[in-house]
Amino acid sequence: MHFLNELNESQRKAAEHLYGATMVIAGAGSGKTRVLTYRIAHMIENEIDPFNILALTFTNKAAREMTERIGSIVGADEAKNITMGTFHSVFSKILRFNADRIGFPNNFTIYDTQDSKSVIKDIIKGFKLDDKTYKPSNVFGRISSAKNNLISPEAYCQNEEIKLEDQQARRPEMGRIYMSYMNRCQKSGAMDFDDLLYYTNVLMRDFPEVLHYYQHKFKYILVDEYQDTNYAQYLIIKKLAAAYENICVVGDDAQSIYSFRGANIENILNFRKDYPDFTLYKLEQNYRSTKNIVEAANSIIKKNKDQIHKSVWTENQNGNKIKVVRTPTDNEEGRSVASFIHEKQGKSNCSYNDFAVLYRTNRQSRSFEEALRKLNIPYKVYGGLSFYQRKEIKDLLAYFRLAANPNDEEALKRVINYPKRAIGKTSIEKLIVAANNYTTSMWEVICDFHKYPVDINNGTKSRISEFATMIKSFQSEINTKDAFSLAERIARSSGIMKELIDAKDKGPEEVERFQNVEELLSGIQEFSNSGDEVDPNTLADFMLEVALLTDADQEKPEEKNHVSLMTIHSSKGLEFPNVYLVGMEENLFPSQMSLHSRSDLEEERRLFYVAVTRAMESCTLSYAVSRFLWGQSISCEPSRFIDEIDPNYLEFSSKSKSINRGLSMKGFEGARTGGLNKMTNPSLRSLKEVTRQKSSSSNEQDIKVGYNVEHKTFGKGKVTHMEGLGADQKATIFFPHHGSKTILLRFANLEILNDE
């Protein structure tokens, strides 16, 4: 048991406790991954069968690293027998094994967000609905939240309160869209990410023999980042653990920051209610940050009411105080941060990798990018377009998807005429209509025009049939050829490589597209080489890995020497010697959208806590007095969060001064209500909450162009245009943080601030 000697006393106690319900609350930088890893190794050394262990991690990368570390302790063969991975990767395998029970093929495709929105866009168009009222992204968000709360399309359509909310939001067809979306996905043999959890719950609910099998297979369950689980994930864990209750959850309620994705902090706060006999361990020693940073972070998070108390401490040196910097404008803020980095890097001769600029929203990166470029400081923005979302990569992946599942309608529509085969848009639309009329897939239609007549000329039908023959040839090799051999053949036989090679002379962008495809093929070759002759890694295996990549898997900082620019959400799980937390202004951070309830504001505070605790040696907070937004310069106030830090740990620059505005929590005590009361997605809140009016709200007839007004959701703004009469009167209002909005006044509940 020598490896346990590497742990401190608290860590060791948590790692040695093997049976019953256990919760490990791990403060920032306290070594929770090591505890989880050593606990599993200790279990195996105590003759617990690794086949009986289920470990659910936050990223696939974390699962691989843990498996390797466990393997180095107990042996690689033993480590490989553990079922370990993200919720989506583990349960997608269970669903593939049981797909026929729920009406899916075992080679089902996994749609990404772009695919799902494309399907929804088609449905909205087919229903002849206004895509401005029914924005695909908003519709997708609402469907996603319904699934995460296990609300089926049928239940959605039958719930009177949900229907009322949709009617008030002028989206009465939402239920019909949800129903059609689920049917379209099933017809295409496809699931989206939410379906992987939704259908796992359906499988365990409707097939008790399946639940019984996995309850007795997974006698020991470990869950990392438990504070980030949603209702669907919570229910899966609870069902699986019901037989033995050997469940260990690890997390930190102070770092619960994903409610917009459906994460429910109540899961970790209520663990003791689910398992009254549980054992609690707290990891409170921080190994990452200086004392000043740790104590400052403690003073931040203690303002939250909903939390599990802990006292994080460190034996590290005191370090510098957190610096607060005030700048006149957001552009000056960018120059200030770039200058600090340039000066510090020059003096200490450290790597640019040691610096990170964190912000609340992606749009804030511009001024920092410009300032860093001017000083020739290398940087990379994380959270932009990922490698697998680039057009040329999506095109080739669509061919791979068709080889695995030719019923995948989104993949088929994407490449049936790419590279160009003279199969026009009208012909493709006729194929879609025919598939819908015959209640079958597009693939079935193009494979048998005799059975499914379509009004397309013979020349086009011939070209479509040639395309289908090519896909069938790829399909025949999907489970026999190794991943790279088939991928290379598809890239060449489809015409994609020729298309990209021919375009290389057109400019640097085309060269980059070709290089991206080469990089993809190189990655597939590496994947193929990691298999063996008896059990080669196939292209279907590779596609499964790609489909299950999380944001964190795709966007980890590289070893190249550059400053990292990213949102605070993207920074979770990372650490940097020097952190610059920028845009520390009211209505930006905390976000204006978080000021409607205490729970929302507390999540913003947890996000601030996460940002500060990314810093190892130095942390700088900066804010601008004015910020240029939507074509206008607006005045800004420093964030209340700066004022909430114990001043003993702050150092104000010569341009800054202590804020001490004495802001209180009054006004943030309200609780959410609504028909979808378990849903945390803002798009699913009851409209009653969003349109709650002040007692001083104005009569819409009093509002005129030029008036300054306040809206409950969008904040303060100026009326720039009026149109319509009576009940149909609308106002166009410019909101500094949200741009121009055209609002029907009878529903707006605006407050007139003055009559200038």
Side-chain angles (χ1 to χ4, degrees):
M1 303 297 177
H2 59 90
F3 59 90
L4 294 179
N5 295 331
E6 298 176 25
L7 304 179
N8 66 34
E9 185 180 355
S10 298
Q11 291 173 331
R12 181 162 185 153
K13 284 180 179 178
E16 288 179 331
H17 188 104
L18 304 184
Y19 306 101
T22 309
M23 181 161 66
V24 181
I25 296 298
S30 62
K32 69 177 177 63
T33 303
R34 171 177 283 196
V35 170
L36 202 57
T37 303
Y38 285 11
R39 190 177 196 274
I40 295 171
H42 184 54
M43 291 166 72
I44 295 171
E45 288 214 339
N46 276 267
E47 299 185 354
I48 290 175
D49 191 337
F51 280 103
N52 293 142
I53 299 173
L54 168 64
L56 296 165
T57 60
F58 190 60
T59 66
N60 295 294
K61 183 173 182 286
R64 285 194 296 271
E65 290 174 352
M66 284 176 63
T67 301
E68 289 172 7
R69 181 66 181 129
I70 293 166
S72 69
I73 298 171
V74 300
D77 291 339
E78 294 277 55
K80 285 179 182 177
N81 293 331
I82 303 165
T83 300
M84 186 182 299
T86 64
F87 275 88
H88 295 91
S89 64
V90 169
F91 295 113
S92 70
K93 291 173 184 174
I94 290 175
L95 286 173
R96 287 188 190 281
F97 191 74
N98 295 279
D100 59 317
R101 296 175 188 265
I102 52 174
F104 279 86
N106 60 12
N107 62 341
F108 62 80
T109 299
I110 299 174
Y111 278 171
D112 62 19
T113 302
Q114 197 177 92
D115 295 321
S116 296
K117 288 179 182 177
S118 177
V119 175
I120 289 168
K121 189 175 180 180
D122 279 351
I123 293 169
I124 292 167
K125 183 180 178 183
F127 286 170
K128 295 182 170 53
L129 299 172
D130 182 2
D131 61 3
K132 291 180 181 176
T133 301
Y134 292 90
K135 289 183 179 178
S137 58
N138 292 346
V139 173
F140 175 69
R142 191 160 175 90
I143 290 173
S144 173
S145 291
K147 288 182 187 175
N148 284 333
N149 286 277
L150 306 182
I151 299 174
S152 68
E154 293 79 12
Y156 188 102
C157 292
Q158 291 168 10
N159 186 296
E160 292 301 323
E161 197 163 359
I162 292 175
K163 285 197 290 186
L164 180 61
E165 287 176 15
D166 284 342
Q167 286 167 3
Q168 289 177 322
R170 295 185 296 170
R171 293 192 293 258
E173 298 292 334
M174 191 71 77
R176 190 158 69 107
I177 296 171
Y178 181 15
M179 185 82 74
S180 180
Y181 173 72
M182 292 290 271
N183 290 337
R184 285 274 294 271
C185 287
Q186 191 149 24
K187 188 177 71 173
S188 295
M191 294 188 192
D192 62 26
F193 252 54
D194 299 313
D195 284 328
L196 297 176
L197 303 179
Y198 176 85
Y199 282 115
T200 298
N201 274 289
V202 169
L203 184 68
M204 293 179 177
R205 180 196 68 197
D206 295 348
F207 300 92
E209 69 278 12
V210 174
L211 175 59
H212 181 270
Y213 172 80
Y214 286 108
Q215 282 178 334
H216 290 80
K217 174 176 171 57
F218 300 135
K219 295 178 181 178
Y220 301 87
I221 299 172
L222 302 96
V223 186
D224 193 12
E225 304 287 5
Y226 190 64
Q227 77 279 352
D228 293 328
T229 53
N230 61 29
Y231 178 66
Q233 292 167 324
Y234 160 79
L235 210 58
I236 292 170
I237 297 164
K238 198 166 189 310
K239 285 178 179 177
L240 288 176
Y244 292 92
E245 293 198 350
N246 289 320
I247 177 169
C248 173
V249 300
V250 182
D252 182 6
D253 57 295
Q255 297 185 65
S256 178
I257 59 173
Y258 291 117
S259 69
F260 67 97
R261 292 181 182 172
N264 186 358
I265 192 173
E266 297 300 319
N267 293 347
I268 195 165
L269 295 178
N270 291 335
F271 186 82
R272 66 190 68 202
K273 292 181 182 177
D274 291 330
Y275 306 96
D277 296 328
F278 86 112
T279 304
L280 175 65
Y281 295 98
K282 294 181 182 179
L283 309 183
E284 296 172 308
Q285 183 174 0
N286 180 296
Y287 291 93
R288 175 188 298 155
S289 308
T290 62
K291 283 182 181 175
N292 270 310
I293 291 171
V294 168
E295 291 299 331
N298 285 342
S299 71
I300 292 164
I301 204 62
K302 76 177 184 181
K303 303 290 192 302
N304 276 6
K305 290 184 179 179
D306 294 333
Q307 62 174 297
I308 299 169
H309 177 74
K310 59 184 173 298
S311 300
V312 180
W313 57 279
T314 185
E315 291 181 344
N316 294 342
Q317 60 185 5
N318 287 333
N320 297 321
K321 292 185 177 183
I322 292 177
K323 185 177 289 187
V324 181
V325 178
R326 171 182 179 270
T327 61
T329 67
D330 51 338
N331 285 331
E332 185 60 37
E333 183 184 37
R335 288 190 286 271
S336 172
V337 169
S339 296
F340 281 140
I341 292 173
H342 186 263
E343 183 180 349
K344 188 157 190 170
Q345 194 274 338
K347 283 182 178 178
S348 61
N349 199 29
C350 56
S351 166
Y352 284 119
N353 284 337
D354 293 340
F355 298 89
V357 180
L358 308 183
Y359 33 76
R360 181 64 181 82
T361 63
N362 276 309
R363 71 167 185 259
Q364 292 170 249
S365 71
R366 178 195 57 80
S367 62
F368 303 99
E369 291 186 66
E370 289 177 2
L372 291 168
R373 275 200 301 269
K374 285 178 182 176
L375 292 177
N376 293 317
I377 296 174
Y379 69 89
K380 180 171 180 179
V381 180
Y382 290 87
L385 187 68
S386 79
F387 178 77
Y388 290 102
Q389 291 298 323
R390 299 176 190 275
K391 180 189 179 300
E392 60 275 14
I393 301 301
K394 289 275 286 183
D395 290 336
L396 188 49
L397 291 178
Y399 276 101
F400 297 168
R401 281 163 53 176
L402 285 176
N405 173 21
N407 286 311
D408 184 342
E409 190 170 299
E410 287 306 300
L412 185 56
K413 287 190 299 183
R414 187 178 188 97
V415 297
I416 193 171
N417 194 42
Y418 178 78
K420 292 190 180 299
R421 300 182 176 87
I423 301 171
K425 185 178 179 182
T426 303
S427 296
I428 296 171
E429 287 176 350
K430 287 179 178 178
L431 292 172
I432 295 169
V433 170
N436 290 335
N437 289 341
Y438 291 112
T439 321
T440 190
S441 67
M442 273 181 70
W443 175 253
E444 293 298 327
V445 172
I446 70 176
C447 286
D448 195 344
F449 285 123
H450 294 294
K451 185 176 180 180
Y452 306 107
V454 186
D455 183 22
I456 296 174
N457 66 59
N458 289 333
T460 303
K461 282 184 179 177
S462 177
R463 290 188 288 275
I464 291 172
S465 296
E466 288 173 7
F467 170 80
T469 300
M470 177 179 65
I471 297 300
K472 286 176 183 176
S473 72
F474 300 154
Q475 191 183 3
S476 67
E477 299 175 332
I478 189 72
N479 292 316
T480 55
K481 274 199 169 183
D482 70 86
F484 177 70
S485 299
L486 182 54
E488 188 177 41
R489 182 166 108 72
I490 292 174
R492 298 192 183 284
S493 300
S494 65
I496 284 183
M497 288 301 285
K498 183 178 186 305
E499 175 98 354
L500 294 173
I501 291 169
D502 291 347
K504 278 172 66 178
D505 295 334
K506 293 181 181 178
E509 287 185 3
E510 300 302 326
V511 172
E512 185 180 0
R513 290 179 65 206
F514 175 75
Q515 290 172 341
N516 285 336
V517 169
E518 282 193 319
E519 185 178 340
L520 174 65
L521 292 174
S522 296
I524 296 173
Q525 186 168 31
E526 185 178 336
F527 177 78
S528 288
N529 293 341
S530 66
D532 54 56
E533 292 182 10
V534 178
D535 186 22
N537 284 333
T538 66
L539 193 56
D541 296 327
F542 176 78
M543 290 305 296
L544 180 60
E545 281 217 352
V546 169
L548 293 168
L549 285 175
T550 66
D551 293 343
D553 285 317
Q554 296 181 46
E555 292 294 339
K556 288 291 184 185
E558 303 160 359
E559 292 302 317
K560 293 178 182 176
N561 191 20
H562 58 238
V563 175
S564 296
L565 275 63
M566 65 182 74
T567 64
I568 303 167
H569 282 100
S570 298
S571 74
K572 184 151 184 286
L574 305 178
E575 57 185 37
F576 302 90
N578 308 288
V579 167
Y580 296 85
L581 181 50
V582 300
M584 290 298 304
E585 297 140 31
E586 282 293 294
N587 297 324
L588 184 54
F589 195 26
S591 163
Q592 187 176 39
M593 300 299 288
S594 72
L595 303 182
H596 299 301
S597 72
R598 180 171 62 81
S599 61
D600 286 346
L601 186 61
E602 289 202 351
E603 173 144 338
E604 286 288 291
R605 190 176 288 111
R606 291 194 295 270
L607 190 60
F608 183 41
Y609 175 82
V610 166
V612 171
T613 55
R614 298 312 93 198
M616 301 165 70
E617 298 169 10
S618 77
C619 181
T620 301
L621 312 179
S622 70
Y623 66 93
V625 176
S626 69
R627 186 168 291 276
F628 201 74
L629 283 175
W630 307 106
Q632 291 190 14
S633 179
I634 63 165
S635 297
C636 305
E637 293 181 50
S639 169
R640 71 188 66 200
F641 290 156
I642 300 175
D643 194 42
E644 290 181 355
I645 300 175
D646 187 324
N648 290 321
Y649 307 112
L650 294 179
E651 174 192 332
F652 291 85
S653 72
S654 56
K655 294 181 182 179
S656 306
K657 59 183 178 180
S658 182
I659 301 153
N660 294 321
R661 295 188 310 281
L663 291 166
S664 72
M665 289 295 296
K666 189 176 181 181
F668 301 104
E669 303 299 325
R672 296 175 182 171
T673 59
L676 301 177
N677 59 357
K678 287 182 179 175
M679 297 192 178
T680 53
N681 190 306
S683 65
L684 285 165
R685 294 179 194 161
S686 170
L687 209 68
K688 296 172 189 173
E689 176 193 352
V690 179
T691 58
R692 218 183 287 132
Q693 65 179 28
K694 299 178 182 178
S695 59
S696 59
S697 290
S698 68
N699 185 302
E700 55 262 27
Q701 302 297 327
D702 298 333
I703 294 174
K704 297 176 183 176
V705 172
Y707 275 28
N708 293 316
V709 295
E710 185 168 4
H711 186 274
K712 188 68 178 176
T713 301
F714 303 123
K716 296 176 182 178
K718 177 168 280 191
V719 179
T720 59
H721 179 69
M722 300 282 293
E723 61 180 284
L725 295 170
D728 295 324
Q729 192 172 30
K730 298 177 183 177
T732 300
I733 306 169
F734 175 79
F735 297 100
H737 290 286
H738 300 278
S740 290
K741 304 283 183 184
T742 300
I743 298 173
L744 196 64
L745 287 182
R746 62 194 168 107
F747 291 130
N749 297 314
L750 297 170
E751 181 187 7
I752 296 175
L753 300 179
N754 58 37
D755 43 42
E756 295 175 358

